[in-house]
Amino acid sequence: MIGRLGAAMLVILAGASPAIAGPGTCLAIANDTERGHSVLVRLHVGEAGTIESREAEWILAAPGSDLSQGLSLKLGYVAQVSEGLGPVTSVTLNYSSQNGSGLPARATGSLEYASGRRWTAPFQGFMGLGLAQLSVKTPWGGRLNPELTESIESASRVTVAIRGPNGAALQSVVLDPSDLASRDRLLSEASTQAEQRAAAPKSCS
């Protein structure tokens, strides 16, 4: 179950760039705790020393919060372009608890715009971890919601929440996914770190 949850959070970024290292996976993450943002970049290096695929995730949590604790919004991107990332292709809510406290049965995740428009999806949880796929397609299922993925970056304010069986919010965070300057700065930092590791065979798994 843990393996499936972890794999479901990954989004493939197509493309190839030169590298020196042999086969492996090079991972880097850049954080901005003050804003509650982080960007994760994962590079897959092939036998010929070429970066064969790229994965990236922009994670938004409450400003000043511990990024490994509580509720967060994760945006995935399918293609990398010269000026940064392409459009959002997946939207998920994530929950983690360091003390192992789990989610209640039949909990749902919701994302709501200031206009009142709301998207929901059931939370899948195990041992203090949780995942609600609002718009994502994986080998294990999921669903695509083009309207959400096309509009998420233009929303200056969204509220994400964990809701109990009666619909009451158990935990909620107000986030700003239109803060693309923060995203792009962290993307550049994480990409540079990952590519530097890809050039050194011993620095990647």
Side-chain angles (χ1 to χ4, degrees), residues 9 36-39 57-62 65 67 69-77 88 90-96 109-113 119 123 130-135 148-149 151-153 155-162 171-179:
M9 296 175 188
H37 293 181
S38 68
V39 169
E57 299 164 349
W58 184 26
I59 304 164
L60 300 88
S65 68
L67 293 173
Q69 183 81 355
L71 181 62
S72 63
L73 168 66
K74 181 179 292 185
L75 305 180
Y77 303 82
V88 173
S90 68
V91 182
T92 61
L93 301 183
N94 294 287
Y95 169 80
S96 62
S110 69
L111 183 150
E112 184 174 339
Y113 288 168
W119 286 265
F123 254 103
L131 172 71
Q133 301 173 327
L134 297 177
S135 182
L148 175 56
T149 55
S151 61
I152 185 68
E153 283 185 353
S156 61
R157 174 188 171 98
V158 299
T159 301
V160 298
I162 300 173
Q171 184 176 354
S172 63
V173 182
V174 178
L175 303 171
D176 180 4
S178 66
D179 190 358

Short mmCIF file of all heavy atoms in Angstrom, two decimals, residues 9 36-39 57-62 65 67 69-77 88 90-96 109-113 119 123 130-135 148-149 151-153 155-162 171-179:
data_model
loop_
_atom_site.label_atom_id
_atom_site.label_comp_id
_atom_site.label_asym_id
_atom_site.label_seq_id
_atom_site.Cartn_x
_atom_site.Cartn_y
_atom_site.Cartn_z
N MET A 9 2.14 9.37 -6.46
CA MET A 9 2.45 10.78 -6.32
C MET A 9 3.40 11.29 -7.39
O MET A 9 3.65 12.47 -7.50
CB MET A 9 3.06 11.05 -4.93
CG MET A 9 2.11 10.76 -3.79
SD MET A 9 2.94 10.97 -2.20
CE MET A 9 1.69 10.33 -1.10
N GLY A 36 5.97 27.91 2.83
CA GLY A 36 5.38 26.58 2.89
C GLY A 36 5.43 25.86 1.55
O GLY A 36 4.59 25.01 1.27
N HIS A 37 6.43 26.20 0.71
CA HIS A 37 6.55 25.61 -0.62
C HIS A 37 7.77 24.70 -0.71
O HIS A 37 8.78 24.93 -0.05
CB HIS A 37 6.71 26.71 -1.67
CG HIS A 37 5.51 27.58 -1.85
ND1 HIS A 37 5.46 28.60 -2.77
CD2 HIS A 37 4.31 27.57 -1.24
CE1 HIS A 37 4.28 29.20 -2.71
NE2 HIS A 37 3.57 28.59 -1.78
N SER A 38 7.68 23.70 -1.56
CA SER A 38 8.84 22.89 -1.93
C SER A 38 8.64 22.36 -3.34
O SER A 38 7.51 22.19 -3.80
CB SER A 38 9.07 21.74 -0.95
OG SER A 38 8.04 20.79 -1.05
N VAL A 39 9.76 22.14 -4.03
CA VAL A 39 9.74 21.53 -5.36
C VAL A 39 10.68 20.34 -5.34
O VAL A 39 11.83 20.46 -4.91
CB VAL A 39 10.15 22.52 -6.46
CG1 VAL A 39 10.38 21.79 -7.78
CG2 VAL A 39 9.08 23.59 -6.66
N GLU A 57 7.37 17.83 -8.78
CA GLU A 57 6.18 18.08 -7.96
C GLU A 57 6.36 19.41 -7.24
O GLU A 57 7.44 19.66 -6.68
CB GLU A 57 5.99 16.97 -6.92
CG GLU A 57 5.80 15.59 -7.51
CD GLU A 57 6.00 14.49 -6.48
OE1 GLU A 57 6.49 14.80 -5.37
OE2 GLU A 57 5.67 13.34 -6.79
N TRP A 58 5.33 20.24 -7.28
CA TRP A 58 5.31 21.47 -6.48
C TRP A 58 4.36 21.23 -5.32
O TRP A 58 3.18 20.93 -5.53
CB TRP A 58 4.84 22.64 -7.34
CG TRP A 58 4.86 23.97 -6.64
CD1 TRP A 58 5.67 24.35 -5.59
CD2 TRP A 58 4.05 25.11 -6.94
NE1 TRP A 58 5.41 25.65 -5.23
CE2 TRP A 58 4.42 26.14 -6.04
CE3 TRP A 58 3.06 25.36 -7.89
CZ2 TRP A 58 3.83 27.40 -6.06
CZ3 TRP A 58 2.48 26.62 -7.91
CH2 TRP A 58 2.85 27.62 -7.01
N ILE A 59 4.87 21.34 -4.10
CA ILE A 59 4.10 21.04 -2.91
C ILE A 59 3.86 22.33 -2.13
O ILE A 59 4.81 23.07 -1.84
CB ILE A 59 4.83 20.01 -2.03
CG1 ILE A 59 5.12 18.75 -2.85
CG2 ILE A 59 4.00 19.66 -0.80
CD1 ILE A 59 6.15 17.84 -2.22
N LEU A 60 2.61 22.61 -1.81
CA LEU A 60 2.24 23.81 -1.07
C LEU A 60 1.58 23.42 0.24
O LEU A 60 0.62 22.64 0.26
CB LEU A 60 1.27 24.68 -1.87
CG LEU A 60 1.73 25.20 -3.23
CD1 LEU A 60 1.39 24.20 -4.34
CD2 LEU A 60 1.04 26.53 -3.55
N ALA A 61 2.14 23.92 1.33
CA ALA A 61 1.57 23.68 2.66
C ALA A 61 1.35 25.03 3.34
O ALA A 61 1.57 26.08 2.75
CB ALA A 61 2.52 22.80 3.48
N ALA A 62 0.90 25.01 4.59
CA ALA A 62 0.67 26.25 5.31
C ALA A 62 1.98 27.01 5.48
O ALA A 62 3.01 26.41 5.79
CB ALA A 62 0.05 25.96 6.67
N SER A 65 4.98 26.15 8.01
CA SER A 65 4.71 24.84 8.58
C SER A 65 5.82 23.86 8.27
O SER A 65 6.66 24.08 7.41
CB SER A 65 3.39 24.28 8.04
OG SER A 65 3.51 23.98 6.66
N LEU A 67 6.95 20.93 6.40
CA LEU A 67 6.45 20.38 5.14
C LEU A 67 6.17 18.89 5.21
O LEU A 67 5.49 18.33 4.35
CB LEU A 67 7.45 20.67 4.02
CG LEU A 67 7.62 22.15 3.66
CD1 LEU A 67 8.75 22.32 2.66
CD2 LEU A 67 6.34 22.74 3.12
N GLN A 69 4.59 17.44 7.70
CA GLN A 69 3.53 17.22 8.68
C GLN A 69 2.26 17.95 8.25
O GLN A 69 2.30 19.10 7.84
CB GLN A 69 3.99 17.77 10.05
CG GLN A 69 3.00 17.55 11.18
CD GLN A 69 3.07 16.16 11.77
OE1 GLN A 69 3.79 15.32 11.27
NE2 GLN A 69 2.32 15.92 12.82
N GLY A 70 1.12 17.26 8.32
CA GLY A 70 -0.15 17.91 8.06
C GLY A 70 -0.61 17.80 6.62
O GLY A 70 -0.23 16.90 5.87
N LEU A 71 -1.44 18.75 6.21
CA LEU A 71 -2.12 18.74 4.92
C LEU A 71 -1.37 19.60 3.91
O LEU A 71 -0.90 20.69 4.23
CB LEU A 71 -3.54 19.27 5.10
CG LEU A 71 -4.46 19.34 3.89
CD1 LEU A 71 -4.72 17.96 3.31
CD2 LEU A 71 -5.77 20.01 4.28
N SER A 72 -1.25 19.11 2.68
CA SER A 72 -0.58 19.87 1.63
C SER A 72 -1.24 19.60 0.29
O SER A 72 -1.93 18.61 0.10
CB SER A 72 0.92 19.54 1.57
OG SER A 72 1.11 18.18 1.23
N LEU A 73 -1.00 20.51 -0.65
CA LEU A 73 -1.47 20.41 -2.02
C LEU A 73 -0.27 20.11 -2.91
O LEU A 73 0.76 20.78 -2.81
CB LEU A 73 -2.12 21.73 -2.45
CG LEU A 73 -2.44 21.92 -3.93
CD1 LEU A 73 -3.51 20.94 -4.39
CD2 LEU A 73 -2.88 23.37 -4.19
N LYS A 74 -0.39 19.11 -3.77
CA LYS A 74 0.71 18.74 -4.66
C LYS A 74 0.26 18.87 -6.10
O LYS A 74 -0.75 18.28 -6.52
CB LYS A 74 1.17 17.32 -4.38
CG LYS A 74 2.34 16.87 -5.26
CD LYS A 74 2.77 15.45 -4.92
CE LYS A 74 3.39 15.37 -3.55
NZ LYS A 74 3.93 14.02 -3.26
N LEU A 75 1.01 19.65 -6.89
CA LEU A 75 0.73 19.84 -8.30
C LEU A 75 1.82 19.16 -9.12
O LEU A 75 3.01 19.35 -8.86
CB LEU A 75 0.68 21.34 -8.64
CG LEU A 75 -0.29 22.19 -7.81
CD1 LEU A 75 -0.22 23.64 -8.25
CD2 LEU A 75 -1.71 21.66 -7.90
N GLY A 76 1.42 18.38 -10.12
CA GLY A 76 2.37 17.69 -10.97
C GLY A 76 2.36 18.27 -12.37
O GLY A 76 1.37 18.86 -12.82
N TYR A 77 3.47 18.09 -13.07
CA TYR A 77 3.63 18.64 -14.42
C TYR A 77 4.16 17.55 -15.33
O TYR A 77 5.07 16.80 -14.97
CB TYR A 77 4.60 19.82 -14.40
CG TYR A 77 4.18 20.93 -13.46
CD1 TYR A 77 4.45 20.85 -12.10
CD2 TYR A 77 3.48 22.03 -13.93
CE1 TYR A 77 4.04 21.86 -11.23
CE2 TYR A 77 3.06 23.04 -13.07
CZ TYR A 77 3.35 22.94 -11.72
OH TYR A 77 2.94 23.93 -10.86
N VAL A 88 -0.23 22.48 -15.44
CA VAL A 88 -0.50 21.47 -14.41
C VAL A 88 -1.23 20.28 -15.03
O VAL A 88 -2.14 20.46 -15.84
CB VAL A 88 -1.36 22.07 -13.28
CG1 VAL A 88 -1.78 20.99 -12.29
CG2 VAL A 88 -0.59 23.17 -12.57
N SER A 90 -1.67 17.21 -12.85
CA SER A 90 -2.27 16.42 -11.78
C SER A 90 -2.39 17.26 -10.52
O SER A 90 -1.58 18.15 -10.27
CB SER A 90 -1.43 15.16 -11.49
OG SER A 90 -0.18 15.51 -10.93
N VAL A 91 -3.44 16.99 -9.77
CA VAL A 91 -3.71 17.72 -8.53
C VAL A 91 -4.07 16.69 -7.46
O VAL A 91 -5.02 15.93 -7.61
CB VAL A 91 -4.89 18.70 -8.69
CG1 VAL A 91 -5.12 19.48 -7.40
CG2 VAL A 91 -4.64 19.66 -9.86
N THR A 92 -3.27 16.65 -6.39
CA THR A 92 -3.55 15.73 -5.29
C THR A 92 -3.44 16.46 -3.96
O THR A 92 -2.74 17.47 -3.84
CB THR A 92 -2.58 14.52 -5.27
OG1 THR A 92 -1.24 15.01 -5.09
CG2 THR A 92 -2.65 13.74 -6.56
N LEU A 93 -4.13 15.95 -2.97
CA LEU A 93 -3.97 16.40 -1.59
C LEU A 93 -3.25 15.31 -0.83
O LEU A 93 -3.53 14.12 -1.01
CB LEU A 93 -5.33 16.68 -0.94
CG LEU A 93 -6.21 17.74 -1.61
CD1 LEU A 93 -7.47 17.95 -0.78
CD2 LEU A 93 -5.47 19.05 -1.79
N ASN A 94 -2.33 15.71 0.03
CA ASN A 94 -1.56 14.75 0.82
C ASN A 94 -1.65 15.08 2.30
O ASN A 94 -1.75 16.24 2.68
CB ASN A 94 -0.08 14.76 0.38
CG ASN A 94 0.09 14.25 -1.03
OD1 ASN A 94 -0.03 13.08 -1.30
ND2 ASN A 94 0.36 15.17 -1.95
N TYR A 95 -1.61 14.03 3.09
CA TYR A 95 -1.64 14.20 4.54
C TYR A 95 -0.59 13.29 5.15
O TYR A 95 -0.43 12.14 4.73
CB TYR A 95 -3.03 13.81 5.09
CG TYR A 95 -3.07 13.70 6.60
CD1 TYR A 95 -3.18 14.84 7.38
CD2 TYR A 95 -3.00 12.46 7.22
CE1 TYR A 95 -3.21 14.74 8.76
CE2 TYR A 95 -3.03 12.36 8.60
CZ TYR A 95 -3.13 13.50 9.37
OH TYR A 95 -3.16 13.40 10.73
N SER A 96 0.14 13.82 6.12
CA SER A 96 1.11 12.99 6.83
C SER A 96 1.10 13.35 8.30
O SER A 96 0.86 14.51 8.69
CB SER A 96 2.52 13.18 6.26
OG SER A 96 2.95 14.51 6.42
N GLY A 109 -11.02 14.47 0.66
CA GLY A 109 -10.24 15.68 0.48
C GLY A 109 -11.01 16.63 -0.42
O GLY A 109 -11.69 16.20 -1.35
N SER A 110 -10.92 17.93 -0.14
CA SER A 110 -11.63 18.90 -0.97
C SER A 110 -10.73 20.09 -1.29
O SER A 110 -9.84 20.44 -0.52
CB SER A 110 -12.91 19.39 -0.28
OG SER A 110 -12.60 20.20 0.84
N LEU A 111 -10.95 20.66 -2.46
CA LEU A 111 -10.28 21.89 -2.89
C LEU A 111 -11.37 22.84 -3.35
O LEU A 111 -12.20 22.49 -4.19
CB LEU A 111 -9.28 21.61 -4.01
CG LEU A 111 -8.47 22.80 -4.51
CD1 LEU A 111 -7.10 22.34 -5.02
CD2 LEU A 111 -9.20 23.56 -5.62
N GLU A 112 -11.37 24.05 -2.78
CA GLU A 112 -12.46 24.99 -3.06
C GLU A 112 -11.88 26.35 -3.48
O GLU A 112 -10.97 26.87 -2.84
CB GLU A 112 -13.34 25.16 -1.82
CG GLU A 112 -14.56 26.05 -2.05
CD GLU A 112 -15.49 26.07 -0.84
OE1 GLU A 112 -15.42 25.13 -0.04
OE2 GLU A 112 -16.27 27.03 -0.72
N TYR A 113 -12.43 26.91 -4.55
CA TYR A 113 -12.07 28.26 -4.98
C TYR A 113 -12.87 29.29 -4.17
O TYR A 113 -13.88 28.96 -3.56
CB TYR A 113 -12.38 28.45 -6.46
CG TYR A 113 -11.46 27.73 -7.40
CD1 TYR A 113 -11.77 27.62 -8.75
CD2 TYR A 113 -10.27 27.14 -6.96
CE1 TYR A 113 -10.93 26.96 -9.64
CE2 TYR A 113 -9.42 26.49 -7.84
CZ TYR A 113 -9.76 26.40 -9.17
OH TYR A 113 -8.93 25.75 -10.05
N TRP A 119 -14.04 20.75 -5.59
CA TRP A 119 -13.74 19.41 -6.09
C TRP A 119 -13.44 18.52 -4.88
O TRP A 119 -12.80 18.96 -3.91
CB TRP A 119 -12.54 19.41 -7.01
CG TRP A 119 -12.80 19.98 -8.37
CD1 TRP A 119 -13.12 19.31 -9.52
CD2 TRP A 119 -12.74 21.36 -8.74
NE1 TRP A 119 -13.27 20.17 -10.57
CE2 TRP A 119 -13.05 21.44 -10.13
CE3 TRP A 119 -12.47 22.54 -8.04
CZ2 TRP A 119 -13.08 22.63 -10.82
CZ3 TRP A 119 -12.51 23.75 -8.72
CH2 TRP A 119 -12.82 23.79 -10.10
N PHE A 123 -10.11 10.10 0.49
CA PHE A 123 -8.74 9.93 0.97
C PHE A 123 -8.45 8.44 1.09
O PHE A 123 -9.24 7.66 1.61
CB PHE A 123 -8.55 10.59 2.34
CG PHE A 123 -7.77 11.87 2.28
CD1 PHE A 123 -8.41 13.09 2.37
CD2 PHE A 123 -6.40 11.85 2.12
CE1 PHE A 123 -7.70 14.28 2.32
CE2 PHE A 123 -5.67 13.02 2.06
CZ PHE A 123 -6.32 14.24 2.17
N GLY A 130 -1.85 9.85 3.89
CA GLY A 130 -3.10 9.93 3.16
C GLY A 130 -2.92 10.60 1.82
O GLY A 130 -2.06 11.47 1.66
N LEU A 131 -3.75 10.20 0.85
CA LEU A 131 -3.66 10.73 -0.51
C LEU A 131 -5.07 10.82 -1.08
O LEU A 131 -5.82 9.86 -1.05
CB LEU A 131 -2.81 9.80 -1.38
CG LEU A 131 -2.76 10.10 -2.88
CD1 LEU A 131 -1.95 11.36 -3.13
CD2 LEU A 131 -2.11 8.92 -3.62
N ALA A 132 -5.43 12.01 -1.60
CA ALA A 132 -6.70 12.19 -2.29
C ALA A 132 -6.41 12.69 -3.69
O ALA A 132 -5.84 13.77 -3.87
CB ALA A 132 -7.58 13.19 -1.54
N GLN A 133 -6.77 11.92 -4.69
CA GLN A 133 -6.46 12.24 -6.08
C GLN A 133 -7.62 13.04 -6.69
O GLN A 133 -8.62 12.47 -7.10
CB GLN A 133 -6.23 10.95 -6.87
CG GLN A 133 -5.09 10.11 -6.31
CD GLN A 133 -4.97 8.76 -6.99
OE1 GLN A 133 -5.97 8.18 -7.39
NE2 GLN A 133 -3.76 8.26 -7.10
N LEU A 134 -7.45 14.36 -6.77
CA LEU A 134 -8.50 15.21 -7.33
C LEU A 134 -8.48 15.18 -8.85
O LEU A 134 -9.51 15.27 -9.49
CB LEU A 134 -8.33 16.65 -6.84
CG LEU A 134 -8.48 16.84 -5.32
CD1 LEU A 134 -8.21 18.29 -4.97
CD2 LEU A 134 -9.87 16.44 -4.85
N SER A 135 -7.30 15.07 -9.42
CA SER A 135 -7.17 14.95 -10.88
C SER A 135 -5.82 14.33 -11.18
O SER A 135 -4.80 15.02 -11.18
CB SER A 135 -7.29 16.32 -11.56
OG SER A 135 -7.20 16.17 -12.97
N LEU A 148 -10.17 21.43 -13.64
CA LEU A 148 -9.38 21.77 -12.46
C LEU A 148 -7.92 22.02 -12.83
O LEU A 148 -7.32 23.01 -12.41
CB LEU A 148 -9.49 20.66 -11.42
CG LEU A 148 -8.61 20.80 -10.17
CD1 LEU A 148 -8.89 22.13 -9.46
CD2 LEU A 148 -8.84 19.64 -9.23
N THR A 149 -7.33 21.11 -13.61
CA THR A 149 -5.91 21.26 -13.93
C THR A 149 -5.64 22.50 -14.78
O THR A 149 -4.58 23.10 -14.68
CB THR A 149 -5.38 20.01 -14.66
OG1 THR A 149 -6.18 19.76 -15.82
CG2 THR A 149 -5.43 18.79 -13.76
N SER A 151 -7.24 25.36 -14.58
CA SER A 151 -7.54 26.61 -13.88
C SER A 151 -6.80 26.79 -12.57
O SER A 151 -6.81 27.89 -12.01
CB SER A 151 -9.05 26.70 -13.61
OG SER A 151 -9.47 25.62 -12.78
N ILE A 152 -6.11 25.77 -12.08
CA ILE A 152 -5.55 25.82 -10.73
C ILE A 152 -4.52 26.92 -10.57
O ILE A 152 -4.50 27.62 -9.55
CB ILE A 152 -4.97 24.44 -10.33
CG1 ILE A 152 -4.49 24.45 -8.88
CG2 ILE A 152 -3.85 24.01 -11.26
CD1 ILE A 152 -5.57 24.56 -7.87
N GLU A 153 -3.65 27.16 -11.55
CA GLU A 153 -2.59 28.16 -11.39
C GLU A 153 -3.12 29.59 -11.41
O GLU A 153 -2.46 30.50 -10.91
CB GLU A 153 -1.52 27.99 -12.47
CG GLU A 153 -0.58 26.84 -12.22
CD GLU A 153 0.54 26.80 -13.25
OE1 GLU A 153 0.49 27.59 -14.21
OE2 GLU A 153 1.45 25.98 -13.07
N ALA A 155 -5.84 30.55 -9.94
CA ALA A 155 -6.60 30.80 -8.71
C ALA A 155 -5.68 31.43 -7.67
O ALA A 155 -4.70 30.83 -7.26
CB ALA A 155 -7.19 29.51 -8.19
N SER A 156 -5.97 32.63 -7.24
CA SER A 156 -5.12 33.31 -6.26
C SER A 156 -5.37 32.83 -4.84
O SER A 156 -4.59 33.12 -3.94
CB SER A 156 -5.36 34.83 -6.32
OG SER A 156 -6.71 35.13 -6.03
N ARG A 157 -6.42 32.06 -4.65
CA ARG A 157 -6.75 31.57 -3.30
C ARG A 157 -7.55 30.28 -3.43
O ARG A 157 -8.59 30.25 -4.09
CB ARG A 157 -7.56 32.62 -2.54
CG ARG A 157 -8.08 32.17 -1.18
CD ARG A 157 -9.03 33.22 -0.63
NE ARG A 157 -9.73 32.78 0.56
CZ ARG A 157 -9.35 33.10 1.81
NH1 ARG A 157 -8.32 33.89 1.99
NH2 ARG A 157 -10.04 32.66 2.85
N VAL A 158 -7.06 29.21 -2.82
CA VAL A 158 -7.83 27.98 -2.73
C VAL A 158 -7.78 27.48 -1.30
O VAL A 158 -6.80 27.72 -0.57
CB VAL A 158 -7.29 26.87 -3.68
CG1 VAL A 158 -7.35 27.32 -5.13
CG2 VAL A 158 -5.87 26.47 -3.31
N THR A 159 -8.83 26.81 -0.89
CA THR A 159 -8.87 26.20 0.44
C THR A 159 -8.88 24.70 0.25
O THR A 159 -9.76 24.16 -0.43
CB THR A 159 -10.12 26.63 1.22
OG1 THR A 159 -10.13 28.05 1.36
CG2 THR A 159 -10.14 25.99 2.60
N VAL A 160 -7.90 24.01 0.82
CA VAL A 160 -7.87 22.55 0.78
C VAL A 160 -8.21 22.05 2.18
O VAL A 160 -7.84 22.67 3.18
CB VAL A 160 -6.50 22.01 0.30
CG1 VAL A 160 -6.22 22.47 -1.11
CG2 VAL A 160 -5.38 22.45 1.23
N ALA A 161 -8.92 20.93 2.24
CA ALA A 161 -9.40 20.45 3.53
C ALA A 161 -9.54 18.95 3.55
O ALA A 161 -9.72 18.31 2.51
CB ALA A 161 -10.76 21.10 3.86
N ILE A 162 -9.44 18.39 4.75
CA ILE A 162 -9.84 17.01 5.02
C ILE A 162 -11.21 17.09 5.68
O ILE A 162 -11.39 17.81 6.66
CB ILE A 162 -8.85 16.31 5.96
CG1 ILE A 162 -7.45 16.28 5.35
CG2 ILE A 162 -9.33 14.89 6.26
CD1 ILE A 162 -6.39 15.75 6.32
N GLN A 171 -9.47 19.51 9.02
CA GLN A 171 -8.24 20.30 8.89
C GLN A 171 -8.30 21.02 7.56
O GLN A 171 -8.73 20.46 6.55
CB GLN A 171 -7.01 19.40 8.94
CG GLN A 171 -5.68 20.15 8.91
CD GLN A 171 -4.48 19.23 9.05
OE1 GLN A 171 -4.62 18.04 9.28
NE2 GLN A 171 -3.30 19.77 8.92
N SER A 172 -7.90 22.29 7.53
CA SER A 172 -7.95 23.04 6.29
C SER A 172 -6.79 24.02 6.22
O SER A 172 -6.26 24.46 7.24
CB SER A 172 -9.29 23.80 6.14
OG SER A 172 -9.42 24.77 7.17
N VAL A 173 -6.39 24.35 4.99
CA VAL A 173 -5.30 25.29 4.74
C VAL A 173 -5.69 26.15 3.54
O VAL A 173 -6.18 25.63 2.54
CB VAL A 173 -3.97 24.56 4.44
CG1 VAL A 173 -2.84 25.57 4.25
CG2 VAL A 173 -3.61 23.58 5.54
N VAL A 174 -5.46 27.46 3.62
CA VAL A 174 -5.67 28.37 2.51
C VAL A 174 -4.33 28.57 1.81
O VAL A 174 -3.33 28.94 2.45
CB VAL A 174 -6.25 29.71 2.98
CG1 VAL A 174 -6.41 30.66 1.80
CG2 VAL A 174 -7.59 29.50 3.68
N LEU A 175 -4.28 28.35 0.50
CA LEU A 175 -3.05 28.39 -0.26
C LEU A 175 -3.19 29.27 -1.49
O LEU A 175 -4.29 29.55 -1.95
CB LEU A 175 -2.65 26.97 -0.69
CG LEU A 175 -2.48 25.95 0.44
CD1 LEU A 175 -2.30 24.56 -0.13
CD2 LEU A 175 -1.30 26.31 1.32
N ASP A 176 -2.03 29.67 -2.05
CA ASP A 176 -2.01 30.52 -3.24
C ASP A 176 -1.21 29.84 -4.34
O ASP A 176 0.01 30.00 -4.43
CB ASP A 176 -1.38 31.88 -2.90
CG ASP A 176 -1.33 32.82 -4.09
OD1 ASP A 176 -1.85 32.45 -5.16
OD2 ASP A 176 -0.76 33.92 -3.96
N PRO A 177 -1.85 29.05 -5.22
CA PRO A 177 -1.13 28.36 -6.29
C PRO A 177 -0.74 29.25 -7.46
O PRO A 177 -0.16 28.77 -8.43
CB PRO A 177 -2.13 27.28 -6.74
CG PRO A 177 -3.45 27.88 -6.43
CD PRO A 177 -3.27 28.71 -5.19
N SER A 178 -1.05 30.56 -7.39
CA SER A 178 -0.64 31.47 -8.46
C SER A 178 0.73 32.08 -8.18
O SER A 178 1.20 32.92 -8.96
CB SER A 178 -1.68 32.59 -8.64
OG SER A 178 -1.73 33.41 -7.48
N ASP A 179 1.39 31.66 -7.10
CA ASP A 179 2.71 32.18 -6.75
C ASP A 179 3.78 31.46 -7.57
O ASP A 179 4.60 30.70 -7.07
CB ASP A 179 2.97 31.99 -5.25
CG ASP A 179 4.21 32.72 -4.76
OD1 ASP A 179 4.89 33.34 -5.60
OD2 ASP A 179 4.51 32.66 -3.56
#
